[in-house]
Amino acid sequence: MKPTPEQLQAAQDTTIADVTGPGLKVLFCGINPGLWSGATGHHFARPGNRFWPALHRSGFTPRLFRPDEQGELPALGLGITNVAPRTTAKADELTAEELREGGAALTARVLRLRPRVLAVLGIGAYRTAFGKRKAVVGRQPEGIGDTEVWVLPNPSGLNAHYTLDALAEEFRVLREAVEGSTAGSSAASSSAASRAGSATTS
């Protein structure tokens, strides 16, 4: 349901709940919630935001989810959070200090939740929040604890640097990396178990 202008105005400077769960493969991290998200309680809710289409086109979800279906993501090993919790009309309303404070809080959240990958959606916000001025899109050289860190493009419709197809391709690269590490880990575990069994019976 489309929020009214009054509901959108009332959503300014509010917060919405994260979508998380145990054993996450990827914790997607937006910059901060927009007014549509603040008014509805759903992440990436504004029409024109390309997060949900990119998630589907890249193979992360079996079909195109609506923002109000975000609760189904943890069952797929996926979650959503934000660098900064405060809802604004535009991300550039956030101060650099808010982003840095958000980066510190996000680090603590990741250490607690221990997702396999943290995927920050916005290179500018990542650079500011974590003090990585030369960071580029893709896998980052430094993780957080046991969690890999990736940076993906901002899926906002205002990001003219990436088409939906290009955005979905960056999401797909991440998905294949995650699935590849899962397969590799499973194969290594099976191989180790096989060797252990052979050593026991020989």
Side-chain angles (χ1 to χ4, degrees):
M1 182 179 296
K2 180 179 179 180
T4 65
E6 292 76 19
Q7 288 173 324
L8 292 175
Q9 184 176 4
Q12 178 77 31
D13 298 327
T14 60
T15 61
I16 64 175
D18 290 345
V19 177
T20 61
L24 294 179
K25 292 186 294 185
V26 182
L27 178 61
F28 290 98
C29 181
I31 300 172
N32 74 307
L35 297 184
W36 276 71
S37 292
T40 63
H42 305 138
H43 294 270
F44 306 106
R46 184 179 180 84
N49 191 292
R50 300 165 298 173
F51 173 79
W52 298 101
L55 205 63
H56 174 51
R57 289 195 185 192
S58 62
F60 271 113
T61 58
R63 60 178 176 80
L64 177 58
F65 284 4
R66 301 186 309 270
D68 63 354
E69 295 178 300
Q70 63 185 21
E72 297 188 30
L73 290 182
L76 299 174
L78 308 175
I80 305 177
T81 188
N82 287 284
V83 175
R86 183 170 70 94
T87 297
T88 61
K90 295 182 180 180
D92 61 11
E93 295 177 36
L94 298 172
T95 66
E97 182 61 25
E98 280 183 283
L99 289 172
R100 286 191 291 268
E101 290 177 356
L106 178 60
T107 296
R109 200 173 314 134
V110 168
L111 290 173
R112 175 172 55 84
L113 293 172
R114 300 180 64 185
R116 189 173 306 154
V117 173
L118 170 70
V120 180
L121 306 176
I123 185 64
Y126 176 78
R127 288 171 175 167
T128 301
F130 291 93
K132 307 290 186 181
R133 295 186 177 182
K134 297 183 179 180
V136 297
V137 168
R139 190 199 306 262
Q140 303 304 300
E142 297 178 1
I144 299 174
D146 295 331
T147 298
E148 287 186 11
V149 175
W150 285 61
V151 176
L152 299 179
N154 184 348
S156 168
L158 299 176
N159 182 2
H161 296 291
Y162 281 85
T163 64
L164 174 56
D165 286 341
L167 186 65
E169 175 63 15
E170 295 291 348
F171 276 58
R172 183 191 62 79
V173 171
L174 169 59
R175 179 184 61 78
E176 292 184 347
V178 171
E179 291 182 353
S181 67
T182 301
S185 177
S186 298
S189 297
S190 297
S191 177
S194 176
R195 290 196 302 272
S198 297
T200 301
T201 57
S202 61

